[in-house]
Amino acid sequence: MCGIFGFVGNRSAAPLLIEGLRRLEYRGYDSTGLVVRNGSLQMFKKVGKVSELTKILPNHIEGKMGIAHTRWATHGPVTDSNAHPHMNMDESIALVHNGIIDNAKSLRNRLESKGVELTSETDSEVLVHMITIGLNSGQEPLEAVRQTLMRVTGTWGLCVLFKEYNQIICARNGSPLIIGQGVGESFVSSDPHALSQHTQNIFFLEDGDMAIVSSDGIDISRLEGGSSTTSMTILEDEWGEADMAGYPNFMLKEIHEQPEALRRCISGRLDKSNGSAKLGGLKLEPVRLRNSPHVRLIGCGTALNACRIGQLAIESLARIPAVAHVSSEFRYNDPVINPNAIHFAVSQSGETADTISAVKEIQLKGGDAHGIINVVGSSIARLCGQGVYIHSGPEQAVASTKAFTNMVASLLLFAIRIGRTRSFSRERGRNIIENFERIPQLMETYLSNQGPIDEAVELVKNAKSILYLGRGLSAPVASEGALKMLELAYIPCLAYPAGEMKHGPIALLEEGSPVIVIAPNDKHREKTIASMHECKARGAKIILIHEDGDSISEEADISIAIPACDSLLSPLLSVIPTQLIAYKTALALGCDVDRPRNLAKSVTVE
Ligand code: F6R
């Protein structure tokens, strides 16, 4: 949700800023802009993706220092003037901002009453004018930014560039910002993807941190004054692999990366001899696992669908109540927190504001939370201070795929771990672990023979709506398939537990309506067949995802076979055809699969 990139050093800034923006574009792509310092501040900004910005740039832009931004609009429509950076009236200060300034309206009125002309409808622009007032009254840049931020409420990750000063001022409160230190050069970025090619030496700013960034180094202090304890960390290697590696887009690359990503996720975590799982980052002693009253799992979107699978698996294997919660609802429903309960915050980015709020609510009420996170060092990972990294590697396509399978895998590993502590036998545990080890290979088997995905696409691409059905663990898989389709191809989709379909959604069915059914060979199979019959009786066409060799395929109009596996693990395989159907439908309809409209990869506002 908005990407920020900054550079100061001895190299030409503009190409580095553009490259940084390209890597951050998945965070928001309503508009982009940059400003470079070279005696004056030269600014360029444009509605659309980075490719639109590059069309208006001159061949060469002088200057070895600059800041850049890619926007996901919150305040003010998508226009050139609302694009960042924002400049003050004499064009001596420029600012890029990620977050929301809550009291922008009153600040705006006050500035206008002092004769300041605001040129955008954004909340962010007030900041640059307030900093100007501070600077004009004799404050140094850091102090002017500090005094401004003391007067605003809201969230920010921001960078400020000054015509007269050889430094960038950065600040963070609620929106991520990291600083990279190279040799004689420094970088600022919203996330590690854009930095990994330049330096491994990273400072993850904490809320309330401010920094002076220059080519000589980085000086981090606190908004309230005094120095910060934020220290340098070394970036993990896996954040380097963010190019398309010969695939036409990131989405297809990431779908195909799932076997390898899963291998990374489970590597060293399968405890074959004990029929259990090893999750070193979880600070949960066996006695706590045994005595905990319940498990709560919290996430949004795809992460929520993973939580729903985790909920069922944990309850089933460990005989402990488990419940999945929508992050954005959690805090506002004033939940009762039992400090002995186990809480998981599940997030690919680790920056989702709704999930952060939920974690803070748990902690405020005396509980603790464990992260199930992809981005190492991200806000939720640090806030929780304990948990499981899912090790998917960078996920660049906005629609989540390989993070979903690894979130599910991590939660299944936890279900096995807590299950072994509480109820099921070593033999059953060993059996699941042996099956788990085979899943990456089975994913490869499916990906090398995907079945009639193109036929499925023909059936759904012009449909008014698509119904997704599944039971048990396959109900959240149906939700995930539907989410992928509506995100990518903009086709209205409904996902229902198959048995619930007859209580309402069946009214939508007419001759030729596509219904995608996920039906592995598990205990729900017969009931799911009954639901399919109800659909077919109303003229619906069934696209069935089922296990290879299962005669259930006779029920289908289009039958897509996945390799047979332990039914507990089936979501790891059955979701892949749903990803491919969504992906290919979006392509058939001419949609941008990596950058679907209106979306952003990490949603850092509530
Ligand atoms: C779906 C998707 C979103 C995210 C959601 C949570 O494809 O990408 O629904 O899953 O915004 O994001 P994270 O996992 O980063 O908290």
Side-chain angles (χ1 to χ4, degrees):
M1 175 144 305
C2 298
I4 288 177
F5 194 79
F7 171 76
V8 47
N10 240 329
R11 294 192 273 165
S12 179
L16 292 166
L17 296 178
I18 288 293
E19 177 55 23
L21 284 182
R22 279 196 216 283
R23 288 179 178 258
L24 293 173
E25 191 179 55
Y26 74 108
R27 299 179 65 89
Y29 34 84
D30 291 334
S31 60
T32 55
L34 60 83
V35 59
V36 174
R37 177 173 177 270
N38 54 14
S40 64
L41 297 183
Q42 251 191 300
M43 182 166 78
F44 305 89
K45 48 191 199 174
K46 192 78 194 131
V47 164
K49 298 178 182 156
V50 182
S51 52
E52 296 303 313
L53 178 67
T54 54
K55 286 182 193 157
I56 63 159
L57 294 181
N59 284 341
H60 180 68
I61 305 172
E62 280 295 327
K64 296 176 176 169
M65 180 182 222
I67 56 178
H69 188 267
T70 171
R71 178 174 187 240
W72 187 82
T74 56
H75 282 61
V78 179
T79 60
D80 286 348
S81 55
N82 287 339
H84 296 220
H86 295 289
M87 283 240 232
N88 63 349
M89 282 168 29
D90 69 4
E91 302 188 349
S92 61
I93 305 176
L95 168 140
V96 292
H97 169 230
N98 174 13
I100 290 181
I101 304 303
D102 296 331
N103 58 339
K105 198 166 175 1
S106 62
L107 294 169
R108 207 179 167 91
N109 292 343
R110 217 172 307 158
L111 287 165
E112 279 173 343
S113 72
K114 288 184 180 169
V116 175
E117 285 170 25
L118 288 104
T119 56
S120 78
E121 297 148 275
T122 64
D123 53 337
S124 313
E125 191 190 344
V126 295
L127 299 173
V128 75
H129 300 296
M130 291 168 70
I131 294 165
T132 306
I133 292 170
L135 215 63
N136 290 345
S137 71
Q139 290 165 357
E140 288 295 305
L142 182 71
E143 195 52 25
V145 175
R146 171 176 285 131
Q147 291 303 330
T148 296
L149 294 177
M150 300 289 256
R151 289 185 179 81
V152 305
T153 54
T155 55
W156 57 80
L158 59 81
C159 286
V160 194
L161 189 64
F162 302 85
K163 184 175 133 195
E164 304 296 343
Y165 294 86
N166 205 12
Q167 56 186 219
I168 299 171
I169 303 294
C170 302
R172 172 196 162 129
N173 183 44
S175 298
L177 206 60
I178 63 177
I179 304 177
Q181 180 148 43
V183 180
E185 57 188 23
S186 303
F187 301 84
V188 188
S189 175
S190 294
D191 71 33
H193 299 302
L195 287 193
S196 55
Q197 54 170 347
H198 299 297
T199 176
Q200 305 296 111
N201 301 332
I202 301 293
F203 296 87
F204 288 93
L205 293 189
E206 297 291 344
D207 285 348
D209 276 349
M210 304 185 68
I212 302 176
V213 179
S214 67
S215 49
D216 303 332
I218 294 152
D219 183 11
I220 305 177
S221 57
R222 297 290 299 165
L223 178 62
E224 67 275 12
S227 55
S228 162
T229 53
T230 299
S231 57
M232 189 192 282
T233 49
I234 306 297
L235 197 60
E236 301 226 341
D237 280 349
E238 67 183 58
W239 293 98
E241 35 153 308
D243 57 33
M244 281 205 263
Y247 284 93
N249 44 57
F250 282 113
M251 174 97 193
L252 190 63
K253 175 185 177 231
E254 288 162 9
I255 289 173
H256 281 267
E257 278 175 347
Q258 287 177 107
E260 209 38 54
L262 181 60
R263 278 192 188 98
R264 273 201 302 271
C265 178
I266 62 178
S267 158
R269 290 174 168 166
L270 302 179
D271 180 355
K272 280 194 213 168
S273 60
N274 289 311
S276 184
K278 291 185 260 185
L279 295 165
L282 292 187
K283 295 184 189 141
L284 291 169
E285 298 301 320
V287 66
R288 172 118 183 252
L289 293 173
R290 267 207 80 81
N291 296 332
S292 184
H294 58 257
V295 179
R296 284 176 144 171
L297 308 115
I298 301 152
C300 311
T302 286
L304 177 63
N305 290 330
C307 289
R308 289 186 171 136
I309 293 171
Q311 162 189 339
L312 295 171
I314 291 164
E315 193 149 324
S316 149
L317 294 194
R319 313 311 305 150
I320 177 174
V323 57
H325 292 270
V326 176
S327 302
S328 57
E329 292 284 298
F330 191 76
R331 168 200 253 180
Y332 299 99
N333 290 341
D334 198 12
V336 175
I337 299 298
N338 183 328
N340 297 321
I342 298 168
H343 301 99
F344 284 110
V346 182
S347 173
Q348 186 284 131
S349 63
E351 301 295 348
T352 301
D354 290 323
T355 308
I356 291 176
S357 304
V359 172
K360 288 184 175 163
E361 178 76 5
I362 292 163
Q363 293 175 338
L364 182 83
K365 291 180 172 170
D368 65 346
H370 289 78
I372 304 274
I373 306 290
N374 192 32
V375 178
V376 175
S378 57
S379 298
I380 300 176
R382 284 177 295 128
L383 189 62
C384 292
Q386 52 194 357
V388 177
Y389 280 123
I390 65 172
H391 297 308
S392 296
E395 196 181 60
Q396 292 272 296
V398 164
S400 191
T401 53
K402 61 177 179 167
F404 174 77
T405 35
N406 276 12
M407 285 170 184
V408 170
S410 303
L411 290 170
L412 291 177
L413 290 173
F414 174 73
I416 295 166
R417 171 86 182 89
I418 188 169
R420 280 288 287 123
T421 317
R422 293 173 68 108
S423 57
F424 70 89
S425 69
R426 184 153 79 151
E427 280 55 49
R428 169 80 177 116
R430 277 184 172 162
N431 186 270
I432 302 175
I433 291 295
E434 277 164 20
N435 279 290
F436 220 135
E437 208 172 20
R438 285 200 284 272
I439 297 291
Q441 170 71 51
L442 296 182
M443 283 176 160
E444 278 162 358
T445 305
Y446 172 70
L447 283 166
S448 63
N449 180 15
Q450 299 171 2
I453 299 290
D454 292 335
E455 276 180 50
V457 171
E458 280 308 305
L459 192 60
V460 301
K461 73 177 186 198
N462 296 316
K464 278 195 285 192
S465 65
I466 308 168
L467 183 59
Y468 285 73
L469 300 177
R471 284 179 191 249
L473 292 170
S474 299
V477 175
S479 298
E480 178 56 13
L483 180 65
K484 272 321 68 112
M485 180 66 88
L486 64 85
E487 280 182 311
L488 292 179
Y490 319 135
I491 299 175
C493 295
L494 267 186
Y496 263 80
E500 183 66 7
M501 183 263 313
K502 58 186 176 295
H503 297 289
I506 197 167
L508 293 180
L509 298 181
E510 52 192 35
E511 201 55 42
S513 298
V515 179
I516 299 183
V517 181
I518 295 107
N521 193 358
D522 59 14
K523 64 181 179 190
H524 305 285
R525 180 179 178 280
E526 299 310 318
K527 291 270 182 218
T528 307
I529 291 176
S531 302
M532 280 195 281
H533 287 167
E534 290 157 11
C535 294
K536 290 204 286 188
R538 273 90 194 165
K541 296 280 180 219
I542 305 289
I543 299 166
L544 179 63
I545 297 167
H546 63 88
E547 285 183 12
D548 204 7
D550 187 344
S551 60
I552 195 174
S553 62
E554 290 159 16
E555 305 290 338
D557 293 286
I558 297 172
S559 129
I560 300 173
I562 54 170
C565 69
D566 187 304
S567 55
L568 176 74
L569 307 171
S570 66
L572 297 169
L573 294 170
S574 61
V575 75
I576 301 178
T578 71
Q579 296 167 344
L580 288 166
I581 296 170
Y583 167 78
K584 289 201 169 180
T585 304
L587 283 188
L589 295 174
C591 303
D592 183 338
V593 287
D594 281 346
R595 306 280 178 265
R597 72 181 178 208
N598 301 340
L599 299 181
K601 184 72 182 164
S602 93
V603 184
T604 55
V605 292
E606 277 192 57

